[in-house]
Amino acid sequence: MLALVKRNFLLYFRNRSGVIHSLFGAIIPFVLYLVFLGNNMKKAWSIGGDLVGLLDFWLIGGTLAVTALTTTLSALSQATKDRENRVTDDLFITDLGQWGLQTSYLMSSILIGFCMQLFMFVLMTVYFMITDQIVFDWGLVWELFMLLLFNSFLSTLVNALFIHYFKSVDSLGRFATIVGTASGFLVGTYIPIGTLPNFAQFLMKLTPSSYIASLFRQVLMGNDLTNIFRGNSLAQEQFEKSMGVRLEWQELLTRQETYYIVGVIIVVVAILWFLQNMTSHRKLNVKA
């Protein structure tokens, strides 16, 4: 299995144009923020303090959520390529079997998603350290790494459910373009959730990556939020609600509650993936 994980990992990074394309969904909001989104948000919130650094971390949190979603989808496209080129027929007869093969795709995708998130985090953080003099609290690094792993795992499982239904790389490529475009809206990197109508907010709350983006923002913005609002809890809650730092279901979710929701989503999606592959495995046995 490790040999197949290594194979999928190397095939992803050897396709340099594919790597860049898989990052478009994350790069576009980053560029738009630098060009005009950041200035518009600064004008909208006149709260004093280091607002620039606060919004920089807000962007980083949302972009990391998008990065895992698009890069893991690109990594999992290797499964579609292998299926289209009949490579899976040869791999099925190895000792791994179907379950081992599908697990190898998952493991390589999780690893790729983690690495690409780490790359984007370093890139954005270093840039903002140079331009805006933001300060990253290195005491948060372990929780951040855990979130990177959770995000990669969740995004891989969600994408794996969709990958199963694509039989050609061309159709999958069109789907990936839609995901790359829509993901920025669904996690609130283009437009903050509080400025959208209720129905759009509801759709965003149904998107698993929105909860990951919320956790990233709470972790990265925590100290700055406390310092800037200086005990003004009402103003802080309004900012967190409007900017999607915390999502609202009747009331704003705490960080612990958001972690619980992410955990439940991961378990549910993992069960769906297991049932999907079990059904596929039974169909293959019937044909055999």
Side-chain angles (χ1 to χ4, degrees), residues 182-207:
S183 58
F185 288 101
L186 292 175
V187 302
T189 54
Y190 294 139
I191 304 175
I193 186 173
T195 62
L196 296 172
N198 291 334
F199 180 71
Q201 293 186 31
F202 179 71
L203 288 180
M204 293 173 71
K205 292 173 187 176
L206 294 180
T207 305

Side-chain angles (χ1 to χ4, degrees), residues 53-54 57-58 60-62 64 121 135-148 150 211-226 240 244-246 254-256 258-259:
L54 190 69
F57 282 126
W58 175 86
I60 292 173
L64 290 176
F121 174 75
V135 178
F136 174 68
D137 182 2
W138 291 100
L140 302 173
V141 67
W142 294 113
E143 185 172 7
L144 179 65
F145 273 27
M146 180 184 67
L147 279 175
L148 294 177
F150 277 177
Y211 296 91
I212 291 288
S214 172
L215 287 173
F216 274 128
R217 287 165 177 161
Q218 289 180 60
V219 170
L220 294 172
M221 299 170 67
N223 293 333
D224 288 337
L225 279 172
T226 303
E240 292 175 342
V245 179
R246 289 197 287 160
T254 64
R255 188 187 302 188
Q256 186 178 30
T258 308
Y259 269 119

Side-chain angles (χ1 to χ4, degrees), residues 58-77:
W58 175 86
L59 173 76
I60 292 173
T63 304
L64 290 176
V66 173
T67 301
L69 199 60
T70 57
T71 57
T72 57
L73 178 59
S74 180
L76 285 170
S77 67

Side-chain angles (χ1 to χ4, degrees), residues 23-190:
L23 284 174
F24 274 173
I27 293 175
I28 290 174
F30 179 51
V31 173
L32 290 178
Y33 175 85
L34 298 180
V35 174
F36 67 91
L37 289 179
N39 290 330
N40 291 343
M41 292 177 186
K42 293 165 193 174
K43 293 176 182 178
W45 292 95
S46 301
I47 54 180
D50 186 17
L51 181 60
V52 174
L54 190 69
L55 292 177
D56 288 347
F57 282 126
W58 175 86
L59 173 76
I60 292 173
T63 304
L64 290 176
V66 173
T67 301
L69 199 60
T70 57
T71 57
T72 57
L73 178 59
S74 180
L76 285 170
S77 67
Q78 187 60 47
T80 303
K81 293 177 184 178
D82 289 344
R83 191 162 54 242
E84 184 179 16
N85 296 325
R86 315 286 299 185
V87 174
T88 52
D89 293 344
D90 297 327
L91 295 176
F92 277 150
I93 63 176
T94 64
D95 293 337
L96 285 175
Q98 182 188 1
W99 286 107
L101 179 61
Q102 297 303 322
T103 302
S104 70
Y105 288 129
L106 285 188
M107 291 178 62
S108 57
S109 177
I110 292 170
L111 181 59
I112 288 169
F114 180 85
C115 291
M116 298 310 290
Q117 285 181 91
L118 192 58
F119 167 76
M120 286 300 300
F121 174 75
V122 172
L123 175 66
M124 291 185 291
T125 303
V126 170
Y127 176 85
F128 287 130
M129 280 181 174
I130 295 173
T131 58
D132 296 336
Q133 288 76 51
I134 67 170
V135 178
F136 174 68
D137 182 2
W138 291 100
L140 302 173
V141 67
W142 294 113
E143 185 172 7
L144 179 65
F145 273 27
M146 180 184 67
L147 279 175
L148 294 177
L149 186 59
F150 277 177
N151 191 22
S152 186
F153 188 49
L154 176 59
S155 297
T156 295
L157 286 173
V158 171
N159 285 325
L161 294 179
F162 292 101
I163 285 285
H164 180 80
Y165 298 102
F166 288 92
K167 306 302 180 183
S168 70
V169 177
D170 288 340
S171 59
L172 179 59
R174 289 190 287 270
F175 176 72
T177 300
I178 295 173
V179 171
T181 303
S183 58
F185 288 101
L186 292 175
V187 302
T189 54
Y190 294 139

Side-chain angles (χ1 to χ4, degrees), residues 45 47-49 51 54 221 223-240:
W45 292 95
I47 54 180
L51 181 60
L54 190 69
M221 299 170 67
N223 293 333
D224 288 337
L225 279 172
T226 303
N227 294 333
I228 288 176
F229 288 95
R230 296 184 180 88
N232 190 346
S233 59
L234 291 179
Q236 182 173 340
E237 285 185 6
Q238 180 59 35
F239 179 85
E240 292 175 342

